[in-house]
Every structure is written in C-alpha cells, then in structure tokens.
Amino acid sequence: MAQKKFLKVCLAATVAGLLAGCDATTESPAQQAEVLKSQQSISLNGVVSSQLAPLTLADKNYLLLASEERGLVLIDENGSEAAALDGGSVERFALQAQGDDQWLVAAYDEESAEIQLRAVQTDTASGAPGLKYLGAVASAAPQAALCFSRQNGRTHLFAIDETGLGHEYVVHPRDQAWAFSEVRQLHFGEQVNACAVDALQQQLLVSQPPLGIWSLNADAEKDEERRVFVAADKLGENFGGFWIDSTAGHLWLTSGDEVRAYNLKLPRAEAVFARALYDMEPVSAVLQGCAAGAGGRE
C-alpha cells in the first residue's frame, strides 16, 4: 500500500474561496488549467492517512485525520497534535456536527473489525479536545465508505464494505453505549471508496471507480431512484475523497492529480472547479471557511 501523509493545508484561499460559499461562478477553461499551489504545508511523521475532515471546537479550527497506525489524530491549524487514539488502524471515517460544541465520528477500525462511534469534544476540566468512545458494531468485512445523514431528527449512518454491501443504521444513545439499529441494506458491487449525503436534496452519493458516482435517495421510505451523478469517463481511473460544501451546494472530490467541485443540483454537469495540485496527488479534499485543504501523496 502506498504511504500517504497529510501534506498540504489551506490551498490558495483566494482561488478556492470562489467556491467556498463566497461565489458559485464556474471557472473558465483557462482558470482550470492553472496549477494550484499551497499557501501552507504541513508534514506529519508517523501518520499514514487517506482521509481528513475539518471541525471547530471552542472557536478553534482543527483537522481530523484517519491514521493507519494511530487510529484517529486531531491536529490544530498550525499542525500541532491536539488529540489521538494512539491505537487501532483507521482508513475511513464519517463526521457530523452534533451541536453544543460536539462532533460525532464513526470510524472503521481494522484491528478490532468494528465500526466505532466516538464524540469529538472539549474536556470541561482541562479545556483540551478529546475522542470519547460511545459504542461499536462488529463488521463482517472491512468498510470502504462511511457517511452520516440527519433525517427527521435522527442520526443515520451509511456504511459500505469492500464487497459492495451497504448498511444504513440509525445510531442513538442507549444505556451505557450507543446502539446501531439497521434500517436497510444497499448493494453496489466492489470498488466503492467514498460516500456523502447531500442534506438539501436528500441524496446519497457513492463513488465507485471505474463505474462513476451514483446518486440515490437517502430516505429509505422513498424509491431508491439510483442514477449516475458523474460518469466515469469524466473522472478518470482514480477518484473519491468526498466532501460536501452545503453552503455553496457543491460536492468536492479528488480525481487523479486534481481537486474538483460539482454542483449538487446538476447531475451529469461539468465540474465548476477543477485544478491540478502542484507536487502532490490528492486523496482527500475539504473546505474550511473560504479556503480549501487537501491530503495526498508527495
């Protein structure tokens, strides 16, 4: 497996800001031909990672990283480590804001073969962020994609394993630990590598190289209505690394050596943003405020 480190943070805010809720204008071909260079670079030793996500605690910005060697690692905007599990092996996780300065994270741990739920929150006594264990469910196969959805006041978790079998759960507190109540199964086939839920359109988006990106109803009470959101011939061989920008209404993803954004309301449309990254191949792309961040390989 290729060694992956989180390397680039806050890519050209003046460029990426055009799509981070500041302006929804589609870039011209000339703009898309420009290579995107980082304004800040962070190298982390001992963190082999293929996914990152931004979050805010006590008005401070952080990045949560999956780590194949340390489980989950939380760093601040200067690249300093704020919290870590220092155990387990995680490649995929899902993150959802819970209000009251707390976040819910679901991560598949390869060592325990479990999907684990944790709360990312600030300790009231020390003021430091932490990763509190909430509960877990055993998994028969490694998970390839995880994503949350909020429906009718309840938290839903979509989990798709490497065989292509997906499960939708409602996760909720119960007694001493959180419970996973299964809602339905979904079938995709192999090579799924990412998923995300667009809350406004209530669509579940699933990345499946080399077939493309699928869209289907996130609500189990409705017909599935599975359809192509972006065709594979528009994406190349390697794509994934989803992030939803709900403010601007864009799906961000990685495709080859590019970071791209697509309008969530326009299936099969061209990318509104597509830039190659200087000296790195991205594996995950996110937004924080009016700046973009990416994790990838040197």
Side-chain angles (χ1 to χ4, degrees), residues 7-275:
L7 297 168
K8 306 295 184 183
V9 186
C10 296
L11 300 175
T14 56
V15 176
L18 295 174
L19 295 167
C22 306
D23 187 356
T25 303
T26 301
E27 289 199 315
S28 68
Q31 287 176 309
Q32 293 191 358
E34 296 178 9
V35 174
L36 200 60
K37 296 184 178 181
S38 66
Q39 292 185 334
Q40 181 184 357
S41 177
I42 299 173
S43 295
L44 297 180
N45 295 321
V47 179
V48 182
S49 182
S50 55
Q51 186 179 353
L52 66 152
L55 60 91
T56 302
L57 291 173
D59 297 322
K60 295 181 180 179
N61 293 327
Y62 296 91
L63 283 169
L64 182 67
L65 294 90
S67 173
E68 297 174 26
E69 299 175 353
R70 302 178 63 196
L72 294 169
V73 178
L74 187 69
I75 63 171
D76 64 23
E77 54 192 354
N78 297 316
S80 299
E81 186 175 305
L85 295 182
D86 281 328
S89 179
V90 173
E91 290 190 39
R92 294 287 182 265
F93 66 84
L95 184 68
Q96 184 185 65
Q98 294 290 294
D100 297 325
D101 216 25
Q102 179 174 295
W103 297 74
L104 184 66
V105 59
Y108 175 71
D109 181 74
E110 292 189 358
E111 294 184 0
S112 65
E114 294 177 327
I115 302 173
Q116 299 179 352
L117 284 178
R118 295 181 183 273
V120 186
Q121 59 189 25
T122 302
D123 183 79
T124 53
S126 66
L131 298 158
K132 178 183 177 182
Y133 178 83
L134 299 176
V137 64
S139 175
Q143 297 299 306
L146 297 164
C147 50
F148 281 118
S149 171
R150 186 170 284 110
Q151 302 178 33
N152 300 318
R154 301 188 301 178
T155 298
H156 290 237
L157 174 67
F158 292 93
I160 306 170
D161 68 30
E162 63 179 13
T163 72
L165 177 60
H167 297 269
E168 180 182 357
Y169 302 97
V170 172
V171 294
H172 52 93
R174 178 183 291 174
D175 299 327
Q176 300 301 314
W178 281 50
F180 292 70
S181 300
E182 186 168 336
V183 176
R184 60 171 166 168
Q185 292 187 357
L186 297 163
H187 300 271
F188 293 96
E190 297 179 353
Q191 294 183 287
V192 167
N193 66 3
C195 70
V197 175
D198 168 20
L200 294 179
Q201 274 75 232
Q202 274 298 299
Q203 59 180 332
L204 170 65
L205 298 162
V206 177
S207 171
Q208 189 177 15
L211 300 180
I213 298 173
W214 302 104
S215 169
L216 55 153
N217 277 325
D219 189 343
E221 306 249 336
K222 298 180 180 179
D223 292 338
E224 189 176 280
E225 296 183 0
R226 189 177 304 200
R227 55 197 179 275
V228 175
F229 182 77
V230 182
D233 60 0
K234 301 290 186 180
L235 294 163
E237 294 183 1
N238 299 313
F239 53 88
F242 285 180
W243 182 257
I244 296 285
D245 175 12
S246 56
T247 302
H250 294 134
L251 170 67
W252 286 80
L253 55 86
T254 61
S255 177
D257 64 351
E258 292 184 340
V259 171
R260 297 186 183 184
Y262 291 86
N263 190 323
L264 287 165
K265 295 181 180 179
L266 299 175
R268 291 185 173 270
E270 296 294 325
V272 297
F273 180 94
R275 295 287 189 94

